[in-house]
Amino acid sequence: MTKLFDGRNILVPRASNQAGELSNIIRAKGGNPIEIPVIEITPTKNIGDLDKGIKSLGTYDWVVFSSVNGVRGVFERIFTIGLDAGIFRSTKIGAIGPATAKALTNYGVAVDFEPLKYVSESMVAEFANIGVKDNFILHFSAETTRNVLYYGLTRAGALVTQVSVYSTSTKKESRPMLAEVMTSDRIDIITFTSSSAVKGFLELLDGRDTLVNVIIACIGPITANTAIENGLDVHVVAKVSTIAGLVSEVLDYIRD
């Protein structure tokens, strides 16, 4: 039987509009989620490029979304300029991960393709197997991205346009709050659900000695690699890169 969190304090360092799902699951399983937004998501400054991409959707064979933030940002702009989900009807849609696919479905957009693994590398490999040579592909992305989709799909022969939807930055106002919880021995587990959360957390952290005896859990290999590259000891990496997968893996870890 899986052991529950038994009142453990679990840091949820996500953007303020993203923490709810993870916190709710932690709470339901007997943990105490402590939400501190270490990053903030803001609309791109390149609105002209975003509008151009939206208005030219019909010229693409595929439109690819790699995050929920991308979906939200695109639809906020779609509604602002007086359009609706119908503009996607003449193109196929790719989405990385069930959360991204669900966000699209909630807006009334059917998803045609999801990679088996919820990372850009898997999407590139599976698209290459399908065959995308000479296909026009539009990727709605963050302003700061690993460019895996762009370069990988280009190598596969696709004609890729990458359009920024949002930017991610460290929420500096959270520094005092983070310092308080980390120095009072209140945190048992830290959950990271993105590389940007790892970087934002470390930028705000005052001294890594506060991480002694703290379990560090990552939603997937990309986030884990970022944490390791920045000197963190990662104890848990979710095999299934979803919020539920992360929670399940942490519970298995503390049970053992």
Side-chain angles (χ1 to χ4, degrees), residues 199-239:
K199 293 174 183 176
F201 171 81
L202 291 174
E203 187 174 335
L204 298 176
L205 184 66
D206 293 324
R208 299 196 181 194
D209 55 318
T210 58
L211 296 176
V212 175
N213 297 323
V214 174
I215 297 169
I216 294 177
C218 295
I219 198 167
I222 305 302
T223 302
N225 287 343
T226 300
I228 293 167
E229 287 168 1
N230 283 276
L232 296 181
D233 292 326
V234 175
H235 306 88
V236 178
V237 181
K239 296 183 181 69

Side-chain angles (χ1 to χ4, degrees), residues 111-232:
V111 175
D112 299 285
F113 174 72
E114 291 181 63
L116 294 176
K117 294 183 179 178
Y118 312 144
V119 293
S120 296
E121 288 83 352
S122 183
M123 175 165 269
V124 168
E126 292 182 45
F127 258 138
N129 288 336
I130 292 172
V132 288
K133 189 177 187 307
D134 297 327
N135 279 202
F136 289 89
I137 299 178
L138 174 61
H139 174 212
F140 286 119
S141 73
E143 286 186 0
T144 302
T145 175
R146 295 187 298 130
N147 291 313
V148 170
L149 284 174
Y150 180 83
Y151 290 117
L153 294 174
T154 298
R155 284 194 296 270
L159 304 163
V160 186
T161 300
Q162 190 161 277
V163 174
S164 299
V165 180
Y166 63 95
S167 64
T168 304
S169 59
T170 301
K171 192 173 180 64
K172 293 183 170 58
E173 299 89 338
S174 295
R175 187 185 299 275
M177 193 189 317
L178 182 64
E180 195 277 326
V181 299
M182 294 304 299
T183 56
S184 61
D185 296 324
R186 288 174 58 193
I187 300 301
D188 301 298
I189 302 167
I190 301 174
T191 57
F192 289 118
T193 56
S194 69
S195 290
S196 56
V198 173
K199 293 174 183 176
F201 171 81
L202 291 174
E203 187 174 335
L204 298 176
L205 184 66
D206 293 324
R208 299 196 181 194
D209 55 318
T210 58
L211 296 176
V212 175
N213 297 323
V214 174
I215 297 169
I216 294 177
C218 295
I219 198 167
I222 305 302
T223 302
N225 287 343
T226 300
I228 293 167
E229 287 168 1
N230 283 276
L232 296 181

Side-chain angles (χ1 to χ4, degrees), residues 45-56:
K45 295 178 181 177
N46 302 316
I47 293 297
D49 290 342
L50 178 55
D51 286 355
K52 181 179 177 182
I54 290 170
K55 292 175 181 178
S56 64

Side-chain angles (χ1 to χ4, degrees), residues 11 29 44 68 70-71 80 88 96 98 101-102 123 128 131 145 157 182 192 207 213 215 223 231 250-251 254:
L11 183 64
K29 294 185 179 297
T44 181
V68 173
V71 175
T80 296
F88 288 97
I96 297 180
K102 182 181 178 182
M123 175 165 269
T145 175
M182 294 304 299
F192 289 118
N213 297 323
I215 297 169
T223 302
V250 174
L251 286 170
I254 62 177

